[in-house]
Amino acid sequence: MNAAPAPLLSNGRQSFSRAELDAEVNALADVLRAQGTRVIATLMDNGPAWVMADLAAAQAGLVHVPLPVFFTAQQIGHALQAAGVDTVLGPWALAARWPGAPTQDCEVAGQALCLQRLPMLPVALPAGTAKITFTSGTTGTPKGVCLDGEALQAITRGLVQALAPLDIRRHLCALPLAVLLENVAGLMAPLAHGAECIVLPLQDVGLVGSSSFDPARLQAAVVRHQPHSMILLPQMLRAWAAWLAHTGERAPASLRMVAVGGASVGTPLVEAARAVGIPAFEGYGLSEGASVQTLNLPGADRPGSAGKPLPHARVRVSAEGEIEVAGSLFKGYLGDAAAPPAWWPTGDLGHIDADGFVHVRGRRKHVLITAFGRNVSPEWVETALRGEPAVAQAVVFGEAQPALSAVLWPTRAELPDSALAAAVERANATLPDYAQVHHWVRASAPFSAEAGMSTANGRPQREAVFHLHADALAAPAIGTH
């Protein structure tokens, strides 16, 4: 009796073998070709339909523009126009956003979707563009990064090669598939390796919007599906590790690799996660490099670093201390005819140690110069603050000031200011005097992308955070709570 084909894609209720996945992808690719689609945007939750749309776009030779569902209507409108999107695929509820645009039923993976044609003017794209990823970066206006198939395949091969010793057979997608990191490292690489991708609705892994996260739901999903690997943002790892420590539970032993990226992680968080059974490994990358460039791995691991360059990536540090990357670069930005240089200046400061591990200190443009002339990377201080169990989010200021100040949000809303004060004191003990925080205020609310206080991957929108708390920061210091 022949065994059933191994699943390659599942959502907890239905699964698809490679042959079944290929059939769905072929059918959708035919529909898109018949429509005359050139640039397609997807706007939907994680699930098999999203995966099939991504693969069908590639097979049909179309440009895919994945849009996160947490983008605002203004951000979505900007992205559609900037990329010259002529077709949108998503739930039927979206059709009301573009009244009068021609619509068509489109069933994908058993899900009823709407294929809608938009009257957008085509725009010039860099030759070979296969995918455009939009990142809000440091402003609320998304920036279009154009990637070609060659770069995406290079990073896929590099990840498959680097992770081969772990023999990962089940990957649970815990980030939105529209986020490039999950799209490439959590979907393309596992599928190329023949691993099963488990793509649940985001609320089933505890994510609501871009910043509301329930670690209990993630734990339940991991216990149920027993994945070998996941990718998390630092704030998700921090909340999950703290929840496990608080409840006395442990992460399932099935996990072999939990890659963490999107922002600085820090040694204390990696160690806290591992103490409760989460095999956390920090990595580093950027959209302009088609996602992840470096990664700590079992056997090549240095907590506090971003790991060594992956097989597809080349990394160096300029004379000014800026990290530069090559090997899987983007083709250019939307609306900018300039081709990227052979080595891309990341804007991140750092160094490569004698053993080849990359260390990232922070953004070059964020470096503060205090009133005493000391250069301080705020990310360095913020990582020390977030290394404290009481601190979930931190933003440090101090340009032209005699001392640094910070806006803090606790890991649990009920934590008193005294817990934050103790956390600041402990973090300060690990920092030189010129990098210590002398004045802090409690944030008025968690930093979120919806509120305009963080990017999709959790990086703070510093200007927005400062303006919201300017009066409190100008008030007498409260660090002696």
Side-chain angles (χ1 to χ4, degrees):
M1 188 173 182
N2 294 330
L8 197 64
L9 184 69
S10 65
N11 64 356
R13 296 178 300 279
Q14 57 186 157
S15 60
F16 300 84
S17 66
R18 182 171 292 278
E20 292 167 334
L21 178 60
D22 287 347
E24 290 271 359
V25 169
N26 289 338
L28 181 55
D30 287 343
V31 170
L32 296 176
R33 288 191 193 97
Q35 281 265 351
T37 298
R38 176 175 173 265
V39 182
I40 182 170
T42 49
L43 189 57
M44 61 180 112
D45 197 0
N46 280 13
W50 196 105
V51 177
M52 293 168 183
D54 187 50
L55 296 174
Q59 181 166 308
L62 311 179
V63 178
H64 182 199
V65 183
L67 295 177
V69 294
F70 54 78
F71 265 15
T72 65
Q74 183 178 5
Q75 288 176 322
I76 290 170
H78 166 79
L80 295 177
Q81 186 170 15
V85 171
D86 53 51
T87 304
V88 176
L89 180 66
W92 267 96
L94 286 175
R97 293 194 183 196
W98 302 283
T103 59
Q104 174 182 330
D105 281 312
C106 185
E107 184 175 307
V108 183
Q111 183 178 352
L113 297 175
C114 172
L115 201 60
Q116 194 161 20
R117 296 285 291 175
L118 301 183
M120 294 290 180
L121 295 174
V123 300
L125 301 175
T129 297
K131 185 166 291 180
I132 302 173
T133 183
F134 278 89
T135 171
S136 53
T138 55
T139 69
T141 302
K143 194 172 190 178
V145 177
C146 299
L147 302 165
D148 68 352
E150 185 177 341
L152 294 169
Q153 288 304 315
I155 197 167
T156 297
R157 290 191 300 270
L159 285 164
V160 170
Q161 179 182 337
L163 297 173
L166 296 176
D167 193 28
I168 290 169
R169 292 294 165 186
R170 288 190 307 280
H171 176 84
L172 175 62
C173 294
L175 300 180
L177 288 166
V179 172
L180 187 63
L181 179 59
E182 189 72 73
N183 185 190
V184 175
L187 180 63
M188 294 177 65
L191 289 178
H193 182 62
E196 177 186 3
C197 287
I198 305 165
V199 285
L200 309 178
L202 288 171
Q203 66 175 5
D204 288 4
V205 292
L207 271 183
V208 179
S210 65
S211 56
S212 178
F213 176 60
D214 181 355
R217 283 199 173 190
L218 178 64
Q219 172 73 358
V222 177
V223 168
R224 178 185 175 191
H225 296 282
Q226 297 289 307
H228 294 159
S229 64
M230 289 192 304
I231 303 170
L232 299 178
L233 299 177
Q235 62 267 34
M236 297 170 68
L237 179 67
R238 184 174 295 106
W240 187 23
W243 186 87
L244 290 172
H246 179 71
T247 61
E249 293 190 39
R250 289 184 64 81
S254 67
L255 287 170
R256 302 172 187 176
M257 160 69 73
V258 176
V260 191
S264 177
V265 179
T267 305
L269 177 54
V270 170
E271 292 177 344
R274 293 180 181 179
V276 291
I278 305 171
F281 293 88
E282 183 173 0
Y284 166 77
L286 63 164
S287 298
E288 290 84 352
S291 186
V292 64
Q293 304 291 298
T294 70
L295 183 62
N296 282 286
L297 293 163
D301 175 42
R302 183 157 294 171
S305 80
K308 293 183 176 182
L310 289 162
H312 63 273
R314 290 177 288 151
V315 181
R316 71 184 188 187
V317 177
S318 73
E320 294 75 29
E322 183 173 1
I323 296 171
E324 298 177 340
V325 299
S328 59
L329 293 184
F330 72 133
K331 301 296 289 184
Y333 292 117
L334 277 180
D336 185 350
W343 285 89
W344 179 253
T346 65
D348 292 310
L349 297 172
H351 71 278
I352 302 173
D353 67 25
D355 297 317
F357 288 89
V358 177
H359 298 255
V360 184
R361 294 202 309 270
R363 296 291 291 168
R364 184 174 184 174
K365 65 181 178 182
H366 292 158
V367 170
L368 306 170
I369 303 177
T370 70
F372 293 101
R374 299 307 299 262
N375 290 357
V376 180
S377 169
E379 289 94 345
W380 169 36
V381 183
E382 289 157 5
T383 299
L385 290 167
R386 291 195 307 267
E388 293 297 320
V391 180
Q393 296 165 311
V395 180
V396 168
F397 303 98
E399 178 68 26
Q401 298 299 311
L404 302 184
S405 59
V407 179
L408 308 176
W409 181 255
T411 49
R412 301 195 312 277
E414 67 271 16
L415 281 178
D417 283 352
S418 58
L420 291 177
V424 171
E425 186 175 348
R426 287 191 296 269
N428 278 343
T430 70
L431 298 165
D433 58 356
Y434 64 87
Q436 293 178 2
V437 172
H438 287 241
H439 174 33
W440 62 270
V441 301
R442 190 186 187 105
S444 57
F447 307 157
S448 70
E450 290 88 346
M453 288 206 294
S454 76
T455 64
N457 62 10
R459 290 176 179 165
Q461 302 275 27
R462 296 176 183 278
E463 188 174 345
V465 173
F466 178 80
H467 284 303
L468 187 62
H469 302 90
D471 291 343
L473 287 168
I478 62 173
T480 56
H481 267 58

